Amino acid sequence: MTVLSFNNWISENSRPTRKVTDLDTNRRYKDTRYEYELYQRFKRLIPRINQLPKKPDLNEWFIMMQNSDNEFYTLVITGALGQPDVRELWRDLTGRRSARMKKYNIDQHGK
């Protein structure tokens, strides 16, 4: 298992590309797929992230997610996640001010 830092991951050119039918030109989930598919896969991790002594920065969170969640690791290694998706997940799962899903007033436990 190779765990990548966020900066290495976004600059790595050897990552395989994914079919772009479900992704836009930036390899970001199209339209509402982020909200209804990608975010839904990982919102279960919010309580675990909230138990951390301090909120992780993007690179710390990216490494932690690869180490703790096989699904996230697989999406990173296969290139199925784009940089915008990772940044949006980080904001939403760590409760950052600009979190995309806050507009739905979703509570922190994803109920």
Side-chain angles (χ1 to χ4, degrees):
M1 181 169 155
T2 303
V3 175
L4 301 169
S5 72
F6 182 72
N7 290 333
N8 288 344
W9 178 72
I10 62 172
S11 64
E12 190 177 280
N13 293 322
S14 61
R15 265 186 308 152
T17 56
R18 181 176 172 184
K19 293 180 183 175
V20 295
T21 54
D22 294 330
L23 305 173
D24 66 14
T25 55
N26 294 316
R27 293 176 45 211
R28 181 176 56 210
Y29 277 75
K30 286 182 183 176
D31 305 320
T32 58
R33 287 199 62 203
Y34 172 82
E35 297 168 19
Y36 296 107
E37 183 180 331
L38 186 64
Y39 175 75
Q40 300 304 321
R41 290 174 163 183
F42 298 106
K43 71 179 184 179
R44 63 185 161 69
L45 300 173
I46 291 173
R48 189 178 345 162
I49 293 168
N50 286 342
Q51 290 175 350
L52 296 172
K54 66 174 193 148
K55 288 186 182 182
D57 65 23
L58 179 58
N59 196 52
E60 293 167 342
W61 174 85
F62 190 71
I63 291 169
M64 179 190 74
M65 288 287 287
Q66 289 175 78
N67 279 321
S68 66
D69 191 85
N70 290 336
E71 186 176 9
F72 186 83
Y73 175 79
T74 301
L75 291 174
V76 166
I77 295 302
T78 61
L81 281 172
Q83 178 183 344
D85 295 320
V86 170
R87 289 180 183 276
E88 288 171 3
L89 274 172
W90 170 65
R91 288 183 192 118
D92 285 324
L93 299 180
T94 60
R96 297 290 196 250
R97 266 192 317 213
S98 58
R100 181 173 175 177
M101 299 305 290
K102 278 190 177 181
K103 66 183 176 185
Y104 295 108
N105 296 320
I106 295 176
D107 69 21
Q108 289 300 306
H109 300 290
K111 295 178 183 174

